[in-house]
Amino acid sequence: YAQIRKKDSLRDITCGLEQHQSKWFHIGLEKIKRSTISDANNRIPYQVYEQLFYALLKKVEGKQYEAKKFRFKNPLYALDASIFDLCLSVFEWAKFRKTKGGFKMHNLFDIKSQIPVFNVITEAKEAEVTVAKNTAFPLSPDSIVAFDRAYIDFNLFQAYENNKVFFVTRAKDNMRFQFLGQQEIPRKKGLQFD
């Protein structure tokens, strides 16, 4: 509940749950206190949550998101990163700006299953392209990976080419290039430009 509703404190969790007292019986609750939740968080080992995660993951593995107009035969992935802010006074190790703390999660996301395939957590100041170049993401030949301009690196592109991985990105505004020609466009496929 707390994760899905993006609750960020014990008080927020208990206030939210108190709004749904009529549903407590169905999940076996009689009363809710902040101290009880806090004690449970401290007492329950992380392995319980890890096992729960893998049990849920096993249930959804192999299932695919059905999009009628958006189908690919090849494995399709999105590669991106997000910064998660942390309180600098509590997490001094996470400093990445003068007054800000945080970490960065780099994520390879399987579009078909709608499940992250691979995550890498780094300091917030770590460049996305550096992680992409130094991480062996599980991309099989004929995979398609889409990413933003933060990942533009021609050595990375060549590594994808050598591994027969297709990639899609947008060019940076200041990118210098030479137009070599136009590919034949198969009109039936809906492609507009290649």
Side-chain angles (χ1 to χ4, degrees):
Y1 165 78
Q3 292 290 330
I4 292 169
R5 303 295 289 169
K6 298 182 179 177
K7 302 293 185 182
D8 59 3
S9 69
L10 294 177
R11 183 180 307 277
D12 197 8
I13 293 169
T14 55
C15 287
L17 287 171
E18 285 170 355
Q19 302 301 312
H20 301 283
Q21 281 185 329
S22 62
K23 298 173 186 158
W24 287 7
F25 172 78
H26 301 291
I27 56 175
L29 292 176
E30 294 177 12
K31 57 184 174 181
I32 295 174
K33 301 282 184 205
R34 286 191 313 269
S35 61
T36 307
I37 296 172
S38 177
D39 291 344
N41 281 342
N42 289 329
R43 189 179 66 250
I44 298 171
Y46 77 90
Q47 290 90 347
V48 170
Y49 300 107
E50 183 179 33
Q51 289 171 0
L52 175 62
F53 168 78
Y54 285 113
L56 292 172
L57 182 61
K58 197 171 195 174
K59 275 189 151 187
V60 297
E61 274 183 334
K63 295 184 180 182
Q64 293 186 359
Y65 174 72
E66 293 296 325
K68 295 188 189 231
K69 291 186 179 181
F70 193 71
R71 292 187 182 168
F72 283 88
K73 292 177 184 173
N74 302 42
L76 177 62
Y77 301 97
L79 180 59
D80 204 1
S82 297
I83 293 177
F84 293 85
D85 294 327
L86 295 174
C87 178
L88 192 55
S89 63
V90 177
F91 302 99
E92 294 176 13
W93 57 266
K95 184 174 183 176
F96 80 101
R97 291 200 182 124
K98 201 170 195 174
T99 59
K100 279 191 149 190
F103 66 91
K104 190 178 283 187
M105 183 174 353
H106 308 264
N107 182 286
L108 183 66
F109 189 78
D110 183 342
I111 302 295
K112 287 182 182 178
S113 68
Q114 296 287 293
I115 296 176
V117 175
F118 200 89
N119 290 312
V120 177
I121 297 174
T122 65
E123 294 180 0
K125 58 187 169 191
E126 187 81 39
E128 284 94 337
V129 71
T130 304
V131 173
K133 288 188 334 188
N134 297 330
T135 305
F137 289 112
L139 296 170
S140 59
D142 291 332
S143 293
I144 302 169
V145 61
F147 42 82
D148 62 23
R149 289 180 267 207
Y151 292 90
I152 290 185
D153 182 274
F154 292 101
N155 290 329
L156 177 63
F157 294 170
Q158 188 61 53
Y160 286 149
E161 177 71 22
N162 294 344
N163 291 315
K164 296 180 175 31
V165 172
F166 299 100
F167 58 90
V168 178
T169 189
R170 292 174 51 199
K172 289 185 175 180
D173 295 335
N174 63 352
M175 183 181 284
R176 291 176 42 199
F177 65 93
Q178 182 179 1
F179 187 73
L180 298 176
Q182 172 67 40
Q183 299 290 332
E184 185 83 24
I185 300 172
R187 299 285 177 199
K188 293 178 184 176
K189 303 272 183 173
L191 187 64
Q192 296 177 3
F193 188 82
D194 187 9

